[in-house]
């Protein structure tokens, strides 16, 4: 007899990194069509839980974050103005109440009368009691308190008691979901796991949260594993039934709280979409829909008309040499003369693959002289992992004997020690493949300083806003990568095991 599957969403905290979580929900709930019977939310995850409780689709939750304005939530605490360093916090919840909640479209009546089973984690500091609040008793005050991180946001008075963010008690309420009968826990984990300690008060504060959150998660996963083992051996387990954990964990390249630009939030959403699609494919979970996920893709503007696409184009020239795979052959010069076209900059920025079209020629005597590019694509600053961006060129050119050759080049944009931005963004590691996939030649092509100036001068845009949007995207991605310390190491083994467990 097949056991009944009862799925629970675990919307863990993570500050503004839960924008990534929203992107995952778009895929899990809408594209993969996963029916969730209940959900729990902690800290920042309660904002997504409120929208889910209200009946939002995954796409609606993701779109709410795509439009999120970080500075709208910033409202200086009155106590800070009166008491300075002795104030209870730096910020108040006024921005959440007056701007963020209305922008998210939160309807308190719809939430309180929701048929969806949900658990909001709050902490009653007066009674030192962690509470699991259902939609029927959720109020604006309680939701504000659920994200009122101590020292950053004012605590919230509810009746005669003081409430704060429950993050120091729990950042992922696995136990409550299991207690309510969940057999599958679908966890989105955005709390950092890199394990590199950084100095300073702000870093120390959030690293303290990471330490507690990861320790609690690890202990919970261990209890589940031990309980499952006992049940499989016909012994009493810690829980009355087997529990399967399905986890998507990510190092989201964005600060928990200190975020100023909407583009950073949108980027986190799209990264969540891309990672969730890949996660589903790797596990054989079919997706009902595919395609771009940004607002610029097929959506309708506020006046009821489709948005007008605005694109850009520019020329790029790189040169160097390739060494043929045939032994004892000398290096041969090679030059790429490219024109790159991005038809719709908004769609390009929203697309996780950041794809453009390439036309032009490849000049290489050993391959046949001047070869026209029959088809070509470029992916600009695609995120492969935290702090690991790539620029990927794929060009199809005809050889002298009629074969179609693939020229593939990659620029590895990664923050190592020392001043490496120029080297990373101008060095193209190139390989030429014949139709059966065997290597014909490989080498390095480079963009010169004069070439960069010519490239900038060649930029053309349908509208001025398109050019500024593209430059904002491009320079913003580089700033996010190179103005930070070297990135943390790979996901730790204990979390990797949980993520990969089916």
């Amino acid at each position: 007899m097949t056991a009944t599957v009862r799925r629970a969403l675990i919307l863990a905290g993570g500050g503004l990194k839960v924008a990534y979580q929203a992107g995952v929900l778009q895929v899990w709930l809408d594209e993969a069509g996963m029916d969730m019977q209940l959900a729990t939310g902690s800290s920042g995850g309660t904002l997504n839980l409120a929208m889910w409780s209200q009946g939002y689709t995954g796409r609606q939750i993701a779109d709410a974050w795509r439009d999120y304005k970080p500075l709208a939530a910033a409202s200086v605490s009155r106590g800070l103005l009166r008491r300075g360093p002795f104030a209870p916090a730096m910020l108040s919840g006024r921005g959440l109440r007056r701007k963020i909640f209305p922008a998210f479209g939160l309807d308190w009546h719809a939430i309180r009368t929701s048929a969806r089973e949900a658990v909001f984690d709050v902490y009653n500091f007066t009674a030192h009691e962690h509470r699991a609040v259902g939609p029927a008793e959720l109020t604006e005050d309680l939701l504000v308190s659920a994200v009122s991180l101590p020292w950053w946001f004012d605590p919230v008075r509810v009746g005669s008691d003081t409430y704060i963010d429950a993050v120091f008690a729990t950042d992922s309420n696995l136990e409550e979901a299991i207690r309510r009968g969940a057999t599958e826990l679908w966890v989105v984990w955005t709390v950092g796991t890199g394990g590199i300690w950084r100095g300073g008060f702000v870093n120390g504060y959030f690293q303290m949260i990471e330490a507690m959150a990861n320790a609690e998660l690890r202990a919970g996963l261990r209890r589940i594993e031990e309980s499952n083992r006992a049940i499989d051996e016909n012994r009493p387990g810690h829980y009355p039934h087997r529990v399967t954990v399905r986890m998507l964990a990510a190092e989201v390249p964005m600060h928990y709280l200190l975020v100023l630009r909407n583009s950073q939030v949108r980027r986190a959403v799209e990264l969540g979409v891309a990672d969730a699609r890949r996660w589903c494919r790797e596990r054989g979970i079919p997706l009902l829909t595919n395609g771009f996920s940004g607002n610029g893709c097929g959506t309708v503007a506020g006046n009821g008309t489709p948005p007008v696409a605005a694109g850009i184009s520019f020329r790029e020239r790189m040169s160097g040499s390739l060494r043929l795979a045939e032994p004892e052959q000398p290096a041969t010069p090679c030059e790429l003369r490219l024109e790159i076209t991005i038809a719709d900059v908004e769609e390009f920025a929203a697309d996780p693959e950041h794809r453009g079209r390439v036309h032009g020629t490849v000049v290489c005597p050993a391959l046949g002289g001047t070869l026209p590019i029959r088809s070509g694509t470029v992916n600009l600053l695609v995120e492969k992992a935290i702090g690991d961006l790539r620029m990927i060129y794929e060009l199809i050119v005809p050889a002298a004997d009629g074969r179609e050759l693939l020229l593939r080049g990659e620029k590895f944009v990664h923050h190592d020690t020392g001043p490496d931005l120029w080297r990373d963004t101008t060095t193209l590691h190139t390989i030429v493949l014949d139709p059966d996939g065997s290597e014909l030649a490989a080498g390095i092509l480079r963009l010169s300083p004069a070439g960069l100036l010519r490239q900038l001068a060649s930029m053309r845009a349908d509208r001025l806003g398109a050019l500024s949007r593209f430059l904002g995207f491009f320079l913003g991605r580089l700033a996010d990568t190179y103005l930070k310390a070297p990135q943390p190491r790979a996901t730790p083994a204990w979390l990797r095991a949980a993520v990969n467990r089916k």
Side-chain angles (χ1 to χ4, degrees):
M1 185 170 166
T2 304
T4 301
V5 175
R6 183 166 164 78
R7 297 189 187 97
L9 268 177
I10 307 297
L11 302 178
L16 292 178
K17 293 176 186 278
V18 299
Y20 175 98
Q21 186 182 86
V24 174
L25 294 183
Q26 173 180 308
V27 177
W28 280 3
L29 300 181
D30 298 358
E31 299 180 17
M34 288 297 161
D35 184 25
M36 301 293 173
Q37 284 72 51
L38 70 140
T40 72
S42 305
S43 193
T46 59
L47 298 177
N48 289 332
L49 181 60
M51 289 185 275
W52 181 84
S53 299
Q54 188 171 319
Y56 277 25
T57 64
R59 177 57 186 260
Q60 288 174 318
I61 297 172
D63 280 348
W65 283 101
R66 288 185 177 104
D67 293 334
Y68 180 83
K69 305 296 188 294
L71 294 179
S75 178
V76 176
S77 170
R78 293 189 178 98
L80 182 64
L81 299 177
R82 292 195 304 266
R83 301 177 59 187
F86 299 100
M90 296 176 62
L91 305 171
S92 77
R94 289 194 304 278
L96 291 170
R97 296 175 190 269
R98 296 177 183 178
K99 296 181 179 179
I100 302 304
F101 290 173
F104 281 1
L106 296 187
D107 182 328
W108 302 106
H109 175 74
I111 293 173
R112 285 194 285 269
T113 58
S114 173
R116 291 181 169 180
E117 186 176 356
V119 178
F120 295 81
D121 289 313
V122 298
Y123 191 81
N124 184 330
F125 188 82
T126 302
H128 278 299
E129 176 188 23
H130 168 223
R131 289 183 58 196
V133 174
E137 56 180 320
L138 187 71
T139 63
E140 182 182 272
D141 284 343
L142 284 173
L143 186 57
V144 171
S145 78
V147 293
S148 291
L149 197 60
W151 192 80
W152 293 96
F153 287 94
D154 283 332
V156 179
R157 295 289 292 180
V158 180
S160 59
D161 292 341
T162 298
Y163 279 76
I164 61 172
D165 191 321
V167 66
F168 293 109
T170 183
D171 215 16
S172 59
N173 203 341
L174 309 182
E175 294 279 347
E176 183 65 22
I178 298 172
R179 189 185 71 79
R180 292 176 180 242
T183 60
E184 289 187 2
L185 305 181
W186 290 63
V187 186
V188 189
W189 190 256
T190 59
V191 176
T193 61
I196 294 179
W197 187 265
R198 295 187 173 91
F201 171 79
V202 173
N203 286 333
Y205 181 93
F206 287 102
Q207 287 163 172
M208 179 171 61
I209 291 177
E210 289 178 358
M212 289 184 289
N214 282 304
E216 182 205 19
L217 175 67
R218 194 168 185 176
L221 294 174
R222 186 163 52 246
R223 282 193 299 273
I224 291 171
E225 187 174 350
E226 291 171 352
S227 179
N228 287 345
R229 188 182 304 117
I231 292 172
D232 291 343
E233 296 171 355
N234 294 316
R235 295 184 289 110
H238 184 79
Y239 304 111
H241 54 266
R242 289 192 100 264
V243 177
T244 300
V245 178
R246 303 190 183 278
M247 180 181 295
L248 198 165
E251 293 279 353
V252 182
M254 183 173 73
H255 195 271
Y256 293 102
L257 189 60
L258 303 181
V259 177
L260 302 179
R261 303 193 307 271
N262 166 260
S263 61
Q264 293 176 280
V265 181
R266 286 173 60 94
R267 175 185 167 198
V269 175
E270 306 311 338
L271 186 59
V273 171
D275 285 356
R277 286 174 178 165
R278 182 167 55 250
W279 185 93
C280 288
R281 287 194 297 268
E282 290 172 351
R283 287 156 180 77
I285 300 173
L287 299 179
L288 304 179
T289 59
N290 282 296
F292 301 133
S293 52
N295 282 347
C297 308
T299 57
V300 176
N303 60 4
T305 61
V308 178
I312 69 163
S313 65
F314 57 90
R315 293 189 294 274
E316 183 175 33
R317 182 174 292 195
M318 291 174 283
S319 60
S321 62
L322 303 179
R323 183 165 294 279
L324 299 179
E326 298 177 6
E328 300 181 359
Q329 289 293 321
T332 180
C334 182
E335 183 177 57
L336 304 185
R337 301 171 183 174
L338 311 177
E339 178 156 355
I340 296 171
T341 303
I342 296 169
D344 186 331
V345 172
E346 285 298 327
E347 185 175 279
F348 163 86
D351 174 14
E353 297 302 317
H354 307 305
R355 185 181 291 106
R357 290 289 175 188
V358 181
H359 304 278
T361 56
V362 175
V363 181
C364 183
L367 297 179
T370 300
L371 311 176
I373 297 172
R374 287 184 175 169
S375 66
T377 60
V378 62
N379 303 85
L380 294 177
L381 299 179
V382 178
E383 189 132 31
K384 295 298 183 181
I386 181 170
D388 182 11
L389 307 179
R390 306 283 177 87
M391 294 191 236
I392 304 171
Y393 297 69
E394 292 193 343
L395 314 175
I396 302 295
V397 296
D401 59 5
R403 292 177 301 162
E404 286 195 335
L405 307 180
L406 170 64
L407 186 149
R408 179 183 172 87
E410 289 195 46
K411 296 177 183 177
F412 299 92
V413 181
H414 183 84
H415 183 24
D416 303 308
T417 56
D420 56 343
L421 186 152
W422 173 258
R423 181 190 64 218
D424 291 351
T425 56
T426 60
T427 303
L428 187 70
H429 301 264
T430 308
I431 186 171
V432 181
L433 305 173
D434 71 11
D436 66 6
S438 59
E439 179 183 321
L440 296 178
I444 300 292
L445 306 180
R446 289 186 171 87
L447 175 69
S448 67
L452 176 61
L453 294 177
R454 287 194 295 268
Q455 181 182 47
L456 294 174
S458 72
M459 285 189 166
R460 300 290 182 267
D462 296 338
R463 296 202 305 270
L464 182 60
L467 183 57
S468 62
R469 176 76 174 97
F470 174 78
L471 292 175
F473 160 83
F474 197 88
L475 298 177
R477 298 298 293 270
L478 294 181
D480 288 343
T481 301
Y482 289 96
L483 295 182
K484 294 181 179 179
Q487 298 300 326
R489 60 178 179 267
T491 305
W494 65 269
L495 183 57
R496 191 163 59 249
V499 169
N500 293 331
R501 191 177 297 123
K502 296 184 179 181

